Amino acid sequence: MAAHLKKRVYEEFTKVVQQQEEITTKKLRLTKPSKSAALHIDLCKATSPADALQYLLQFARKPVEAESVEGVVRILLEHYYKENDPSVRLKIASLLGLLSKTAGFSPDCIMDDAINILQNEKSHQVLAQLLDTLLAIGTKLSENQAIQMRLVDVACKHLTDTSHGVRNKCLQLLGNLGSLEKSGTKDAEGLAIRDVQKIIGDYFSDQDPRVRTAAIKAMLQLHERGLKLHQTIYNQACKLLSDDYEQVRSAAVQLIWVVSQLYPESIVPIPSSNEEIRLVDDAFGKICHMVSDGSWVVRVQAAKLLGSMEQVSSHFLEQTLDKKLMSDLRRKRTAHERAKELYSSGEFSSGRKWGDDAPKEEVDTGAVNLIQSGACGAFVHGLEDEMYEVRIAAVEALCMLAQSSSSFAEKCLDFLVDMFNDEIEEVRLQSIHTMRKISNNITLREDQLDTILGVLEDSSRDIREALHELLCCANVSTKEGIHLALVELLKNLTKYPTDRDSIWKCLKFLGSRHPTLVLPLVPELLSTHPFFDTAEPDMDDPAYIAVLVLIFNAAKSCPTMPALFSDHTFRHYAYLRDSLSHLVPALRLSGRKLVSSAVSPNITPHEDPSHQFLQQSLERVYSLQHLDPQGTQELLEFTIRDLQRLGELQSELAGVADFSAAYLRCQLLLIKALQEKLWNVAAPLYLKQSDLASAAAKQIMEETYKMEFMYSGVENKQVVIIHHMRLQAKALQLIVTARTTRGVDLLFGMCEKFLQEVDFFQRCFIADLPHLQDSFVDKLLDLMPRLITSKPAEVVKILQTMLRQSTFLHLPLPEQIHKASATIIEPAGESDNPLRFTSGLVVALDVDATLEHVQDPQSTVKVQVLYPDGQAQMIHPKPADFRNPGPGRHRLITQVYLSHTAWTEPCQVEVRLLLAYNSNSRIPKSPWMEGGEISAQAETSIEGTIPFSKPVKVYIMPKPTRR
Amino acid sequence: MPEIRVTPLGAGQDVGRSCILVSIGGKNVMLDCGMHMGYNDDRRFPDFSYITRNGRLTDFLDCVIISHFHLDHCGALPYFSEMVGYDGPIYMTHPTQAICPILLEDYRKIAVDKKGEANFFTSQMIKDCMKKVVAVRLHQTVQVDEELQIKAYYAGHVLGAAMFQIKVGSESVVYTGDYNMTPDRHLGAAWIDKCRPNLLITESTYATTIRDSKRCRERDFLKKVHETVERGGKVLIPVFALGRAQELCILLETFWERMNLKAPIYFSTGLTEKANHYYKLFITWTNQKIRKTFVQRNMFEFKHIKAFDRAFADNPGPMVVFATPGMLHAGQSLQIFRKWAGNEKNMVIMPGYCVQGTVGHKILSGQRKLEMEGRQVLEIRMQVEYMSFSAHADAKGIMQLVGQAEPESVLLVHGEAKKMEFLKQKIEQEFRVSCYMPANGETVTLPTSPSIPVGISLGLLKREMAQGLLPDAKKPRLLHGTLIMKDSNFRLVSSEQALKELGLAEHQLRFTCRVHLHDSRKEQETAARVYSHLKSLLKDHCVQHLPDGSVTVESILIQAAAHSEDPGTKVLLVSWTYQDEELGSYLTSLLKKGLPPAPSGGS
């Protein structure tokens, strides 16, 4: 069926072109002058090579359709043979490569020519370019074995070229197209499959570093394509590690890593001794050594790769953090070791004396190994590196290794804590995040906690919040630790009151994770006295709330704790349980009435029934297609109501429910619009009645945009349905306009536009068309040839009948779907004091918002400011203003500049967040447009916006300037 | 035999008074010209009479290179250039050129004004000396003269410190000066490319030390200062004016910025202010962070650090003060120390080593009661902390640098003999290169085998290349040509061109040889037989039978003639040029074996 459909589509497509010539009276939508002819004329006109080059450059700016590629290629080849100037030939060769990438064009016809011209070419640059073209052709025809072999053969022939550029390209070609099968078998055409690996391996010792790099890269490419590299490469690669050129070393490090992942358990001998070790350990040692390479590019590369070597034995792993210290040939302990000892000896925080770090025992001079000691101290070096790129890479690697080994996590803790003090904020932030990720594996010692908490005073909000997140999931060992953390957090709160929410949340988790440690602290924290009643603390004090949050959360799993509360504490509990229910859990207070009986812990939400309900109600709707209109409408209305309620009750199903409800609403609107009795009335009478239908069309459009862009996790099959719905809405719009307007010209334009939309739809979703049987679009495409030739009035008539006949499409539910939402935390919109500023100047307003489930917020989320005079202003936040604290969550912290002319009274402006969308971004891009300035513009353009946050009102007052 | 000779006049198995003489490719270079802190007599300067007893120094030295502005590397410079007399060029980097005279002037003041020394260099001499300085940039190759070139590499350590590569022809020496392989808060790490010098002269101050990560020390330092300030105490940090002081300033400044602290930080004025100015200027010499952020804000334009006034010491409330000198033996730091010592809330942090006998050393070794002048007893209640911040490469760092530069041999200076011994052994063991550690005045001689570059004309190269396959790096190739040595350069050209250039006529050298053959037939027939014989044997050579009866193989001519006496013997005359010697001798040997029997019935 699919094949049949496709064929039909193509037939119609060609018909379109033919009919252009027949009917000249009609304005044609596709008028394509022959590309190849124009190019041919241009090139013939060119008098000098420079001219010809200009023409070619101009030509390259415009895209070429798949059907005219072949002609263009012929013209280009013809000129190639005639051309004497190498630069023009070079351009032609590059154009050939680009053209052969065009979708829908099969480049096998130009391959012979390309190989032919390759053989006669003298210029090295052109040769290299031609090989590049062949590479493009080869990748396009990757299924054809014979062609691949031929190309590989060509590449092998040119490997002996004197120019590095040509050798580079040959190696690239081999890497991309070289056969993956074992050598030795003969092909039908008599070409032996070459052992690509060996050929490439020979060029590891080429005299030109660029060629060496290309050879390693080609080898890596082979690996990526699924060829298993030989273990013998390992030794070759090891030699390349001491190459003079950094690109070679950098690529070699990668290669070694690849081999170590392929043969981790092989045994390799250690040179100059009889011992043998596992290959992965050996490779690990070698890569560790590269962490102190001279070039920072190599260092970054090495540090990054270390993180993914998980099979390394723990012995080697732990060496990376070990740097044998010595002073004056005597063994010395590191500050970390001393701190640990100090702590374990029970003596905490002693003033250190000079000579405290005095070296202890003598070191045997023979045993000290200053270099080449494998993994020794690699991370110590990496974390101390000059370039922050290396440090970040090292921290990341540390994180990955620590996640897979808990003993390593324990060891690397001290180093991570040290990184909290780095001079670059990014590194500090990264190490805090890392620490959070591994915190399941570790328990913080008191002295470590002390250092960590020191960072709470950092002036950077990101750092503080990252640290709060870290404390949320940290394990603390002692009650003093908890106390220390609380004290420091309260200090933080007084210094930066804006951190309130974050700190409360942090204390919530801290409390619930360590109930037994909090218990002995309760009397002190609540300052209760065994005999005397103490003063009741201020309920509005954020610090007091913070303490209560900690205690209540601990009390949840510690039933003995409420006995220690005083009366007012219970009152405060009731209050907080209501006002801050997300922070304060429900407690079972013995002897007292359950303050919140609504939520009882026994009732756990049952997911299945509600999900089932959702499915059932949707199925009900889909199955009842041919019900009488009235019944359908009612059913739809009920179902929409049900779904909405379900979404409110079940937060995990909210996305699906809302999404389906929106779709049903669209359908309902469409049905309603079509059920209008007045459709049959003559056009002039209809005029005033059209409101409902056109409003419905407009609303459907809006809903479909929301469905497409406001939900994350929408897959292609849903997008098709959504677009289909939109197409119907557009058809409806067209019909309504046709009925209400008189002018033919306007209608003519609309008709044409609609047909273009249909065409666009067809092109975008050609693969999904088979799923849309009997739908509106299916029928529409059947009638396409007729529509194009008929008059607008007729088109409208056809559309109308088709709309009525079209069936209701089943919307498949996506796996994971979430509705995008945003909450503006700041400005809170409560202030009565207007923000005063001089008119004509600007005032900066801090905006802080959390975004949930927004894809690519950097380009889509905008801030809108609506002034009382109706003037609206859209602000594009900088990409750096977005932070990503967790999966699916984003945080926007930005400044919005407001300005206006003078007002007499303070007034409120509205601030809200918009989601910008552009449905054209789905058009597949042609290779021509890559990197072009036109496309960059097209991508940033905004088709429309959807408001997705509650507006916040800000009181402002621009004052007139004083003179 | 060409050789490199190195003689340390100072810093040989010793720290201080760095001064090393290097002779390379006939050029004499002096590396550093420092003073010794330990002496106050003649020994404080290097013994320049070693270079020449009575001639002018300028005639014996091609140039002087100063690695950085520390006095043990540049302290003797005015004495050397103005009092002993040297007029040649002195090379140093721009920051060194800027800061060096400040330190020299300070040194002069202390020596002359405070200690009352006579016969010391004057301010004018410092100025005159600095006029002879040529400033160099990093990685800039400077041609001192036609053959000698020098190049500076970044060395960390202090602002403007550089390592120098000295190169004559294909021989080279790298001198490191002092360097640091780990970055700190204001400077980056030393770096050198794989220049493979014949000799690497490296400092070895910490030859036997492997240091802990800097981060712990920094964190400790910050934590202590922060705690004290939070308690409301005062912190005194005695420092020397340049180098570490700036690092600590940056450290505290950024910490204050990060933590939003308000307590004032003071820096005692004087020398430092001028120096800070240069730190602001030479941003390119600092580390990544400062270089990247200076567009927004120059880190050396301190927001929180202000100039200190004597009266501030009595102000209430917390503060941090940097004061000179670093060992608490005199001056402002000692004054402040006396004022603050009685309060246990206060703290003094010693950031460096203290010489025995100074107040700094006493308090560090735990003395709580100090006898001051006038029999006063000062009881110390303030906390005393020691934090070592040093900017020399440790043993691992030195090894790392050696690994990076890949020298043929290493020479250790600027360190203690005992410690050098260990490092020397390690270097020899791990890199398998020879290592030297000469004492002062001891000369190390290093034979070198410099490669001699020979120019070849492209035409000749292409012609010779066309004859064989691609050149293989691993296999030597034979090449015919003429070597012309003219004006101390060497060229390889084709023989025709050589003849043309030298105006010589070409002489041809021909060998002729007679071969007797037993053949009773006519000459022509013999020639025909020779022709067919050779034709069948030499398939890939061009064999021709000419109309005059002679046979040619390539350019070798063979003629047959009847023997004058014996008609049964024919004489074959074979003649070839010198160039075809190989083929010619092969042919004769072939012919000497005789012709194959004629096919029967052939006639």
PDB file of all heavy atoms in Angstrom, chain A residues 244 294 326 335 368 371 383 388 418 421 459 495, chain B residues 185 191 196 210 212 219 258-259 288 426 430:
ATOM      1  N   ASP A 244      55.863  14.395  18.463  1.00  0.00           N
ATOM      2  CA  ASP A 244      56.170  15.807  18.684  1.00  0.00           C
ATOM      3  C   ASP A 244      54.945  16.698  18.553  1.00  0.00           C
ATOM      4  O   ASP A 244      54.943  17.822  19.031  1.00  0.00           O
ATOM      5  CB  ASP A 244      57.215  16.288  17.666  1.00  0.00           C
ATOM      6  CG  ASP A 244      58.606  15.842  18.063  1.00  0.00           C
ATOM      7  OD1 ASP A 244      58.697  15.042  19.005  1.00  0.00           O
ATOM      8  OD2 ASP A 244      59.576  16.289  17.441  1.00  0.00           O
ATOM      9  N   GLY A 294      52.637  18.340  27.768  1.00  0.00           N
ATOM     10  CA  GLY A 294      52.957  19.754  27.564  1.00  0.00           C
ATOM     11  C   GLY A 294      51.822  20.552  26.956  1.00  0.00           C
ATOM     12  O   GLY A 294      51.731  21.754  27.162  1.00  0.00           O
ATOM     13  N   MET A 326      57.443  14.018  49.722  1.00  0.00           N
ATOM     14  CA  MET A 326      58.647  13.909  50.527  1.00  0.00           C
ATOM     15  C   MET A 326      59.254  15.283  50.649  1.00  0.00           C
ATOM     16  O   MET A 326      59.017  16.174  49.840  1.00  0.00           O
ATOM     17  CB  MET A 326      59.643  12.928  49.919  1.00  0.00           C
ATOM     18  CG  MET A 326      60.241  13.380  48.631  1.00  0.00           C
ATOM     19  SD  MET A 326      61.415  12.177  48.048  1.00  0.00           S
ATOM     20  CE  MET A 326      62.036  13.027  46.649  1.00  0.00           C
ATOM     21  N   ALA A 335      48.433  16.876  53.639  1.00  0.00           N
ATOM     22  CA  ALA A 335      47.554  17.613  54.542  1.00  0.00           C
ATOM     23  C   ALA A 335      46.262  16.835  54.782  1.00  0.00           C
ATOM     24  O   ALA A 335      45.695  16.864  55.866  1.00  0.00           O
ATOM     25  CB  ALA A 335      47.237  18.970  53.969  1.00  0.00           C
ATOM     26  N   VAL A 368      62.381   5.687  45.310  1.00  0.00           N
ATOM     27  CA  VAL A 368      61.551   6.803  44.856  1.00  0.00           C
ATOM     28  C   VAL A 368      61.557   6.853  43.342  1.00  0.00           C
ATOM     29  O   VAL A 368      62.591   6.835  42.696  1.00  0.00           O
ATOM     30  CB  VAL A 368      62.078   8.128  45.422  1.00  0.00           C
ATOM     31  CG1 VAL A 368      61.172   9.255  44.985  1.00  0.00           C
ATOM     32  CG2 VAL A 368      62.127   8.054  46.919  1.00  0.00           C
ATOM     33  N   ILE A 371      59.114   9.737  37.879  1.00  0.00           N
ATOM     34  CA  ILE A 371      58.187   9.769  36.748  1.00  0.00           C
ATOM     35  C   ILE A 371      57.855   8.346  36.328  1.00  0.00           C
ATOM     36  O   ILE A 371      58.327   7.390  36.930  1.00  0.00           O
ATOM     37  CB  ILE A 371      58.765  10.520  35.526  1.00  0.00           C
ATOM     38  CG1 ILE A 371      60.125   9.943  35.190  1.00  0.00           C
ATOM     39  CG2 ILE A 371      58.804  11.988  35.746  1.00  0.00           C
ATOM     40  CD1 ILE A 371      60.507  10.171  33.773  1.00  0.00           C
ATOM     41  N   LEU A 383      43.922  18.175  38.743  1.00  0.00           N
ATOM     42  CA  LEU A 383      43.113  19.132  39.502  1.00  0.00           C
ATOM     43  C   LEU A 383      43.876  20.409  39.783  1.00  0.00           C
ATOM     44  O   LEU A 383      43.294  21.424  40.121  1.00  0.00           O
ATOM     45  CB  LEU A 383      42.652  18.501  40.819  1.00  0.00           C
ATOM     46  CG  LEU A 383      41.675  17.343  40.678  1.00  0.00           C
ATOM     47  CD1 LEU A 383      41.368  16.743  42.033  1.00  0.00           C
ATOM     48  CD2 LEU A 383      40.382  17.809  40.031  1.00  0.00           C
ATOM     49  N   TYR A 388      41.691  25.874  33.224  1.00  0.00           N
ATOM     50  CA  TYR A 388      40.502  25.409  33.919  1.00  0.00           C
ATOM     51  C   TYR A 388      39.788  24.322  33.121  1.00  0.00           C
ATOM     52  O   TYR A 388      39.075  23.501  33.682  1.00  0.00           O
ATOM     53  CB  TYR A 388      39.589  26.570  34.272  1.00  0.00           C
ATOM     54  CG  TYR A 388      38.612  27.010  33.220  1.00  0.00           C
ATOM     55  CD1 TYR A 388      37.323  26.505  33.207  1.00  0.00           C
ATOM     56  CD2 TYR A 388      38.955  27.930  32.235  1.00  0.00           C
ATOM     57  CE1 TYR A 388      36.411  26.903  32.256  1.00  0.00           C
ATOM     58  CE2 TYR A 388      38.053  28.322  31.277  1.00  0.00           C
ATOM     59  CZ  TYR A 388      36.786  27.808  31.288  1.00  0.00           C
ATOM     60  OH  TYR A 388      35.895  28.186  30.340  1.00  0.00           O
ATOM     61  N   ASP A 418      38.589  20.280  48.120  1.00  0.00           N
ATOM     62  CA  ASP A 418      39.595  21.295  47.809  1.00  0.00           C
ATOM     63  C   ASP A 418      39.198  22.123  46.606  1.00  0.00           C
ATOM     64  O   ASP A 418      39.496  23.306  46.525  1.00  0.00           O
ATOM     65  CB  ASP A 418      40.942  20.630  47.524  1.00  0.00           C
ATOM     66  CG  ASP A 418      41.641  20.247  48.793  1.00  0.00           C
ATOM     67  OD1 ASP A 418      41.178  20.695  49.847  1.00  0.00           O
ATOM     68  OD2 ASP A 418      42.644  19.520  48.731  1.00  0.00           O
ATOM     69  N   ASN A 421      37.339  25.520  46.326  1.00  0.00           N
ATOM     70  CA  ASN A 421      38.049  26.770  46.534  1.00  0.00           C
ATOM     71  C   ASN A 421      38.733  27.246  45.265  1.00  0.00           C
ATOM     72  O   ASN A 421      39.592  28.109  45.301  1.00  0.00           O
ATOM     73  CB  ASN A 421      39.091  26.522  47.627  1.00  0.00           C
ATOM     74  CG  ASN A 421      39.239  27.712  48.499  1.00  0.00           C
ATOM     75  OD1 ASN A 421      38.653  28.749  48.231  1.00  0.00           O
ATOM     76  ND2 ASN A 421      40.028  27.578  49.536  1.00  0.00           N
ATOM     77  N   SER A 459      29.290  34.529  47.369  1.00  0.00           N
ATOM     78  CA  SER A 459      28.348  35.559  46.917  1.00  0.00           C
ATOM     79  C   SER A 459      27.596  35.114  45.659  1.00  0.00           C
ATOM     80  O   SER A 459      26.634  35.737  45.265  1.00  0.00           O
ATOM     81  CB  SER A 459      29.087  36.856  46.654  1.00  0.00           C
ATOM     82  OG  SER A 459      30.050  36.644  45.653  1.00  0.00           O
ATOM     83  N   LYS A 495      22.499  36.342  55.837  1.00  0.00           N
ATOM     84  CA  LYS A 495      23.331  37.101  54.905  1.00  0.00           C
ATOM     85  C   LYS A 495      22.628  37.252  53.557  1.00  0.00           C
ATOM     86  O   LYS A 495      22.714  38.298  52.930  1.00  0.00           O
ATOM     87  CB  LYS A 495      24.655  36.362  54.715  1.00  0.00           C
ATOM     88  CG  LYS A 495      25.775  37.281  54.235  1.00  0.00           C
ATOM     89  CD  LYS A 495      27.115  36.621  54.477  1.00  0.00           C
ATOM     90  CE  LYS A 495      28.223  37.416  53.836  1.00  0.00           C
ATOM     91  NZ  LYS A 495      29.518  36.780  53.993  1.00  0.00           N
TER      92      LYS A 495
ATOM     93  N   ARG B 185      48.003  31.503  42.166  1.00  0.00           N
ATOM     94  CA  ARG B 185      46.867  32.396  42.003  1.00  0.00           C
ATOM     95  C   ARG B 185      47.128  33.529  41.022  1.00  0.00           C
ATOM     96  O   ARG B 185      46.190  34.153  40.557  1.00  0.00           O
ATOM     97  CB  ARG B 185      46.467  32.986  43.357  1.00  0.00           C
ATOM     98  CG  ARG B 185      45.749  31.996  44.222  1.00  0.00           C
ATOM     99  CD  ARG B 185      44.381  31.714  43.671  1.00  0.00           C
ATOM    100  NE  ARG B 185      43.778  30.591  44.365  1.00  0.00           N
ATOM    101  CZ  ARG B 185      42.481  30.510  44.637  1.00  0.00           C
ATOM    102  NH1 ARG B 185      41.661  31.471  44.259  1.00  0.00           N
ATOM    103  NH2 ARG B 185      42.004  29.457  45.242  1.00  0.00           N
ATOM    104  N   TRP B 191      56.424  26.396  30.856  1.00  0.00           N
ATOM    105  CA  TRP B 191      56.156  25.536  29.706  1.00  0.00           C
ATOM    106  C   TRP B 191      57.294  25.655  28.698  1.00  0.00           C
ATOM    107  O   TRP B 191      57.798  26.745  28.452  1.00  0.00           O
ATOM    108  CB  TRP B 191      54.850  25.952  29.048  1.00  0.00           C
ATOM    109  CG  TRP B 191      54.521  25.148  27.844  1.00  0.00           C
ATOM    110  CD1 TRP B 191      53.879  23.959  27.828  1.00  0.00           C
ATOM    111  CD2 TRP B 191      54.823  25.448  26.477  1.00  0.00           C
ATOM    112  NE1 TRP B 191      53.766  23.501  26.539  1.00  0.00           N
ATOM    113  CE2 TRP B 191      54.336  24.402  25.697  1.00  0.00           C
ATOM    114  CE3 TRP B 191      55.481  26.518  25.851  1.00  0.00           C
ATOM    115  CZ2 TRP B 191      54.478  24.376  24.307  1.00  0.00           C
ATOM    116  CZ3 TRP B 191      55.619  26.494  24.474  1.00  0.00           C
ATOM    117  CH2 TRP B 191      55.113  25.419  23.709  1.00  0.00           C
ATOM    118  N   ARG B 196      64.555  19.867  22.370  1.00  0.00           N
ATOM    119  CA  ARG B 196      65.680  18.937  22.347  1.00  0.00           C
ATOM    120  C   ARG B 196      67.040  19.643  22.351  1.00  0.00           C
ATOM    121  O   ARG B 196      67.799  19.543  21.385  1.00  0.00           O
ATOM    122  CB  ARG B 196      65.588  18.007  21.133  1.00  0.00           C
ATOM    123  CG  ARG B 196      64.304  17.201  21.100  1.00  0.00           C
ATOM    124  CD  ARG B 196      64.406  16.018  20.175  1.00  0.00           C
ATOM    125  NE  ARG B 196      63.253  15.168  20.332  1.00  0.00           N
ATOM    126  CZ  ARG B 196      62.137  15.256  19.605  1.00  0.00           C
ATOM    127  NH1 ARG B 196      62.040  16.180  18.664  1.00  0.00           N
ATOM    128  NH2 ARG B 196      61.133  14.445  19.804  1.00  0.00           N
ATOM    129  N   ILE B 210      58.857  16.422  47.165  1.00  0.00           N
ATOM    130  CA  ILE B 210      57.657  16.338  46.343  1.00  0.00           C
ATOM    131  C   ILE B 210      56.560  16.992  47.155  1.00  0.00           C
ATOM    132  O   ILE B 210      56.283  16.592  48.283  1.00  0.00           O
ATOM    133  CB  ILE B 210      57.268  14.887  46.022  1.00  0.00           C
ATOM    134  CG1 ILE B 210      58.406  14.211  45.278  1.00  0.00           C
ATOM    135  CG2 ILE B 210      56.011  14.864  45.177  1.00  0.00           C
ATOM    136  CD1 ILE B 210      58.153  12.750  45.039  1.00  0.00           C
ATOM    137  N   ASP B 212      52.939  18.733  48.379  1.00  0.00           N
ATOM    138  CA  ASP B 212      51.505  18.485  48.449  1.00  0.00           C
ATOM    139  C   ASP B 212      50.804  19.474  47.521  1.00  0.00           C
ATOM    140  O   ASP B 212      51.391  20.445  47.075  1.00  0.00           O
ATOM    141  CB  ASP B 212      51.058  18.716  49.889  1.00  0.00           C
ATOM    142  CG  ASP B 212      49.713  18.096  50.157  1.00  0.00           C
ATOM    143  OD1 ASP B 212      49.135  17.534  49.220  1.00  0.00           O
ATOM    144  OD2 ASP B 212      49.256  18.185  51.302  1.00  0.00           O
ATOM    145  N   ARG B 219      43.506  26.722  51.187  1.00  0.00           N
ATOM    146  CA  ARG B 219      42.260  26.643  51.921  1.00  0.00           C
ATOM    147  C   ARG B 219      42.503  26.884  53.403  1.00  0.00           C
ATOM    148  O   ARG B 219      41.771  27.623  54.052  1.00  0.00           O
ATOM    149  CB  ARG B 219      41.656  25.254  51.709  1.00  0.00           C
ATOM    150  CG  ARG B 219      40.204  25.178  52.042  1.00  0.00           C
ATOM    151  CD  ARG B 219      39.766  23.753  52.033  1.00  0.00           C
ATOM    152  NE  ARG B 219      40.536  22.965  52.966  1.00  0.00           N
ATOM    153  CZ  ARG B 219      40.758  21.667  52.818  1.00  0.00           C
ATOM    154  NH1 ARG B 219      40.319  21.045  51.765  1.00  0.00           N
ATOM    155  NH2 ARG B 219      41.458  21.000  53.721  1.00  0.00           N
ATOM    156  N   ARG B 258      34.354  36.857  46.952  1.00  0.00           N
ATOM    157  CA  ARG B 258      33.452  35.716  46.914  1.00  0.00           C
ATOM    158  C   ARG B 258      32.566  35.681  48.134  1.00  0.00           C
ATOM    159  O   ARG B 258      31.387  35.383  48.064  1.00  0.00           O
ATOM    160  CB  ARG B 258      34.265  34.426  46.887  1.00  0.00           C
ATOM    161  CG  ARG B 258      34.419  33.819  45.529  1.00  0.00           C
ATOM    162  CD  ARG B 258      35.251  32.563  45.636  1.00  0.00           C
ATOM    163  NE  ARG B 258      34.600  31.561  46.472  1.00  0.00           N
ATOM    164  CZ  ARG B 258      35.208  30.519  47.012  1.00  0.00           C
ATOM    165  NH1 ARG B 258      36.480  30.339  46.792  1.00  0.00           N
ATOM    166  NH2 ARG B 258      34.560  29.649  47.734  1.00  0.00           N
ATOM    167  N   MET B 259      33.156  35.928  49.282  1.00  0.00           N
ATOM    168  CA  MET B 259      32.431  35.732  50.530  1.00  0.00           C
ATOM    169  C   MET B 259      31.764  37.007  51.000  1.00  0.00           C
ATOM    170  O   MET B 259      31.177  37.037  52.073  1.00  0.00           O
ATOM    171  CB  MET B 259      33.385  35.218  51.612  1.00  0.00           C
ATOM    172  CG  MET B 259      33.959  33.875  51.286  1.00  0.00           C
ATOM    173  SD  MET B 259      32.651  32.692  51.033  1.00  0.00           S
ATOM    174  CE  MET B 259      33.584  31.216  50.797  1.00  0.00           C
ATOM    175  N   GLN B 288      45.754  32.175  33.600  1.00  0.00           N
ATOM    176  CA  GLN B 288      44.567  32.142  32.738  1.00  0.00           C
ATOM    177  C   GLN B 288      43.422  32.999  33.277  1.00  0.00           C
ATOM    178  O   GLN B 288      42.854  33.813  32.563  1.00  0.00           O
ATOM    179  CB  GLN B 288      44.109  30.686  32.630  1.00  0.00           C
ATOM    180  CG  GLN B 288      43.097  30.460  31.557  1.00  0.00           C
ATOM    181  CD  GLN B 288      42.450  29.090  31.696  1.00  0.00           C
ATOM    182  OE1 GLN B 288      42.500  28.464  32.738  1.00  0.00           O
ATOM    183  NE2 GLN B 288      41.843  28.635  30.639  1.00  0.00           N
ATOM    184  N   LYS B 426      68.590  10.246  39.806  1.00  0.00           N
ATOM    185  CA  LYS B 426      67.256   9.966  39.272  1.00  0.00           C
ATOM    186  C   LYS B 426      67.170  10.290  37.780  1.00  0.00           C
ATOM    187  O   LYS B 426      66.608   9.541  37.001  1.00  0.00           O
ATOM    188  CB  LYS B 426      66.217  10.815  40.023  1.00  0.00           C
ATOM    189  CG  LYS B 426      65.894  10.296  41.369  1.00  0.00           C
ATOM    190  CD  LYS B 426      65.081   9.022  41.277  1.00  0.00           C
ATOM    191  CE  LYS B 426      65.435   8.152  42.464  1.00  0.00           C
ATOM    192  NZ  LYS B 426      64.977   6.791  42.315  1.00  0.00           N
ATOM    193  N   GLU B 430      66.300   7.588  34.986  1.00  0.00           N
ATOM    194  CA  GLU B 430      64.999   7.550  34.332  1.00  0.00           C
ATOM    195  C   GLU B 430      65.004   8.078  32.907  1.00  0.00           C
ATOM    196  O   GLU B 430      64.201   7.667  32.097  1.00  0.00           O
ATOM    197  CB  GLU B 430      63.970   8.290  35.190  1.00  0.00           C
ATOM    198  CG  GLU B 430      63.675   7.502  36.446  1.00  0.00           C
ATOM    199  CD  GLU B 430      62.605   8.105  37.309  1.00  0.00           C
ATOM    200  OE1 GLU B 430      61.852   8.940  36.795  1.00  0.00           O
ATOM    201  OE2 GLU B 430      62.545   7.752  38.491  1.00  0.00           O
TER     202      GLU B 430
END
